[in-house]
Amino acid sequence: MQTPTDRFIMQWFLLHQTEYKLYPSRWILLTSVTLLNLANYSHWIAFASVAKQAAEFYHVSGSQVDLIPTLSYGLCIPFCLLAVFIVERRGLRTGLLLGAWLTAAGGALCCLATLPELFGKTWWSKHISFSLTVFGQALTGMGCPFISCVPTKVSQNWFGDSERSVATIILGMSNPLGLVLGQTLTPFFVRQPTELPLLNLVWFLPSLPGFLLTVCGVGSSLPPTPPSSSAASAIQSKRRPFMGTIVQLFRNKAFLIIFLFLGAAMGYISTLQTKLEQILCARGYSDQLAGLAAAGIIVAGFLASFPIGLLAQKTGKLIPISKVSCVPAVVLLGVMWWVLVQPGLPHLVLISCLLLGVFSLGIYPVMLELSVECTFPLDESVVTGLCYLSSAFQGVLLMFVENLFETPLQTEEELSIQTCRPVQQAIVTEDMEHMKAKDYTNYLLFINIYMAILIVVFFAFFNTEYRRTKATEPRNHSPVEENSLLKDLKSLQES
């Protein structure tokens, strides 16, 4: 609790501080969060990229293999509110420690479940091995929100104004980069079911340096002194009750629009990443093309986020830049709906996925910055955490509605070109159900219209004042303010 002296010192600091100190430990913090995000996201998506090999290795059905990434992703929803509460109440370091321990412990358990088979030994049955893997992935799913809700909190409280956008880009894009690494690289070293133990070992390793850096290198939730005037202003502002912060956020029209739009955008990308292999194999495309297309979305978005983010920082025009990027995205949604259900257009598939990444993921860091601008000085972890909760909830919803639009392939020509399972396979067993070719035309039409509607809502109705930017503007303080603070100091010294 702040004493009167503490409050006076902070007020005096805000009035007179013109240069702010940056601490080298901010890079340790950024590296630890980035590594933990990469390890967490790459591990759970890796199973979806080699589902056939995993089903054969564990001696389970395709639907049981799907339980691994689904459980990890689904646990993000209930644990998200817990994560933002702990980070907001107990501080950044406490939340990161919990996330690091859960990510490392979950990865270690998955690794232990299959490690003996790398050396040709068997310590337990396949059933126990599979159960340990599912439990390990559940732990990483619990730890994910503690890491994913902190990008803007780290960049706001540890980085200066000139570095903040780059820090947000690196931290914000570490999640999708983890997805592309797990989805793209895993099929190259897990070609046979016997090689599946490599998956658990390879994607456990990045969590170790992330865990050690967090435990040994992150010593506090905040730097000794603020890195910018907006950080100092946020620290000085009165702390609100947690539920009061939630209520205030949901009374903020600008935040509500970002909550729905940003959540839908990230949920849509996650859904497309998960379903793309099944969508494309139904039209005769290879798993390699599906992997390249999925990777193209993330890589293009990551590369585009730097010029878009830096342009937004330099010009201060976050709202116009984000809205201009939305216009091509609406057109692309219509193009992709047609392209993804047509056979024999591999180049168009790749080009449309690359462009989708540029105009959807490319503005993700800018949207994170906008979410802080419209809610300042409320806690950044709560703001980002609720956006993450929205993306997880809408992602699960968009994945679930596939069942409502499930349509088998109709014609002999469609059945002959599909590559989801061998054409000569007449009987589809339970183990092969996840490889069944379907017509995704209506499903893609639904999720693309859903996303297009929310883009239009954002374009037409979103507007906000830049509250954080205003807090960084230099203010001329009157002699009355100076004299008042001097009198306060004198009375504090006399008491």
Side-chain angles (χ1 to χ4, degrees):
M1 184 176 179
Q2 280 188 330
T3 65
T5 305
D6 293 331
R7 285 194 294 272
F8 170 79
I9 291 171
M10 182 55 73
Q11 287 175 324
W12 187 265
F13 180 85
L14 287 172
L15 279 173
H16 296 282
Q17 181 75 2
T18 57
E19 294 183 3
Y20 295 91
K21 183 177 180 180
L22 298 176
Y23 296 87
S25 55
R26 70 192 187 281
W27 299 112
I28 295 176
L29 177 60
L30 182 141
T31 304
S32 64
V33 175
T34 301
L35 286 173
L36 288 172
N37 264 328
L38 289 173
N40 201 303
Y41 277 80
S42 59
H43 202 164
W44 73 259
I45 198 66
F47 285 96
S49 67
V50 290
K52 302 167 191 175
Q53 293 90 328
E56 189 172 340
F57 175 84
Y58 287 115
H59 297 169
V60 295
S61 66
S63 58
Q64 287 174 297
V65 170
D66 290 342
L67 177 66
I68 298 174
T70 303
L71 181 65
S72 184
Y73 192 61
L75 281 170
C76 293
I77 296 176
F79 275 84
C80 191
L81 285 176
L82 176 63
V84 297
F85 175 79
I86 290 175
V87 171
E88 195 266 348
R89 294 284 108 177
R90 305 298 299 174
L92 174 67
R93 184 174 186 271
T94 301
L96 282 181
L97 284 173
L98 284 170
W101 275 104
L102 287 168
T103 299
L109 200 58
C110 291
C111 186
L112 182 65
T114 56
L115 187 63
E117 303 213 23
L118 279 176
F119 306 100
K121 298 180 181 180
T122 303
W123 290 358
W124 36 61
S125 67
K126 294 288 188 181
H127 175 74
I128 293 176
S129 179
F130 180 71
S131 299
L132 287 173
T133 302
V134 171
F135 184 61
Q137 279 295 296
L139 290 179
T140 62
M142 296 174 194
C144 188
F146 291 96
I147 311 162
S148 298
C149 73
V150 302
T152 52
K153 192 173 185 71
V154 172
S155 61
Q156 168 67 19
N157 292 311
W158 284 84
F159 288 83
D161 292 332
S162 62
E163 300 175 335
R164 191 168 56 220
S165 293
V166 174
T168 302
I169 291 170
I170 294 171
L171 293 167
M173 296 303 291
S174 61
N175 300 357
L177 273 179
L179 292 178
V180 73
L181 287 174
Q183 194 167 40
T184 307
L185 298 183
T186 305
F188 285 99
F189 59 84
V190 182
R191 292 185 173 88
Q192 303 296 328
T194 54
E195 296 172 331
L196 192 103
L198 284 173
L199 180 156
N200 287 322
L201 176 61
V202 167
W203 298 124
F204 163 61
L205 292 178
S207 67
L208 287 178
F211 170 77
L212 293 173
L213 279 174
T214 302
V215 173
C216 304
V218 180
S220 63
S221 297
L222 295 170
T225 57
S228 64
S229 57
S230 63
S233 179
I235 293 169
Q236 190 227 6
S237 63
K238 184 179 178 182
R239 190 180 189 185
R240 296 166 177 81
F242 179 72
M243 288 309 300
T245 301
I246 300 291
V247 171
Q248 191 168 346
L249 283 172
F250 281 103
R251 287 178 177 171
N252 185 326
K253 176 187 171 183
F255 171 74
L256 277 176
I257 293 175
I258 285 185
F259 174 80
L260 291 172
F261 168 68
L262 186 57
M266 298 311 296
Y268 175 85
I269 293 296
S270 296
T271 301
L272 199 60
Q273 290 280 315
T274 305
K275 302 290 184 183
L276 195 57
E277 182 184 1
Q278 301 169 52
I279 293 170
L280 291 180
C281 76
R283 297 302 174 186
Y285 296 109
S286 66
D287 291 351
Q288 288 76 16
L289 178 73
L292 283 174
I297 295 173
I298 307 298
V299 172
F302 177 72
L303 295 176
S305 66
F306 282 94
I308 293 174
L310 293 174
L311 179 64
Q313 175 194 317
K314 193 175 238 348
T315 63
K317 306 291 186 182
L318 277 73
I319 296 175
I321 288 172
S322 60
K323 287 190 175 184
V324 166
S325 299
C326 287
V327 176
V330 174
V331 178
L332 276 168
L333 288 172
V335 171
M336 286 196 68
W337 168 74
W338 181 80
V339 168
L340 294 182
V341 296
Q342 301 299 316
L345 300 174
H347 295 96
L348 280 181
V349 169
L350 287 174
I351 291 170
S352 60
C353 285
L354 288 171
L355 291 174
L356 180 70
V358 170
F359 294 109
S360 58
L361 273 180
I363 63 166
Y364 177 59
V366 175
M367 295 304 302
L368 289 179
E369 291 288 300
L370 263 180
S371 70
V372 177
E373 289 284 356
C374 73
T375 58
F376 187 84
L378 298 180
D379 190 275
E380 304 86 3
S381 63
V382 179
V383 175
T384 307
L386 288 177
C387 291
Y388 178 75
L389 175 65
S390 174
S391 72
F393 180 79
Q394 293 188 70
V396 170
L397 176 66
L398 291 176
M399 291 179 196
F400 173 78
V401 296
E402 179 201 343
N403 300 316
L404 305 178
F405 294 93
E406 185 170 319
T407 307
L409 296 179
Q410 300 293 328
T411 66
E412 287 295 329
E413 182 183 358
E414 290 176 328
L415 290 169
S416 65
I417 64 171
Q418 62 82 26
T419 56
C420 300
R421 69 172 192 267
V423 177
Q424 66 271 20
Q425 182 72 41
I427 301 175
V428 180
T429 64
E430 185 184 2
D431 286 3
M432 296 184 64
E433 188 64 29
H434 68 291
M435 296 184 285
K436 183 180 178 181
K438 305 171 188 175
D439 184 353
Y440 287 92
T441 304
N442 294 331
Y443 174 63
L444 281 171
L445 182 63
F446 173 80
I447 65 174
N448 283 17
I449 289 176
Y450 176 88
M451 190 64 243
I453 289 172
L454 286 172
I455 291 175
V456 171
V457 169
F458 172 77
F459 187 89
F461 299 107
F462 180 80
N463 197 21
T464 185
E465 61 176 338
Y466 299 131
R467 299 180 180 181
R468 180 179 62 186
T469 302
K470 282 188 175 182
T472 66
E473 293 175 353
R475 295 176 293 175
N476 294 320
H477 301 285
S478 68
V480 175
E481 290 178 301
E482 296 278 354
N483 291 332
S484 175
L485 281 174
L486 288 171
K487 287 178 181 177
D488 288 344
L489 177 60
K490 186 176 180 180
S491 62
L492 285 169
Q493 289 173 334
E494 291 173 351
S495 62

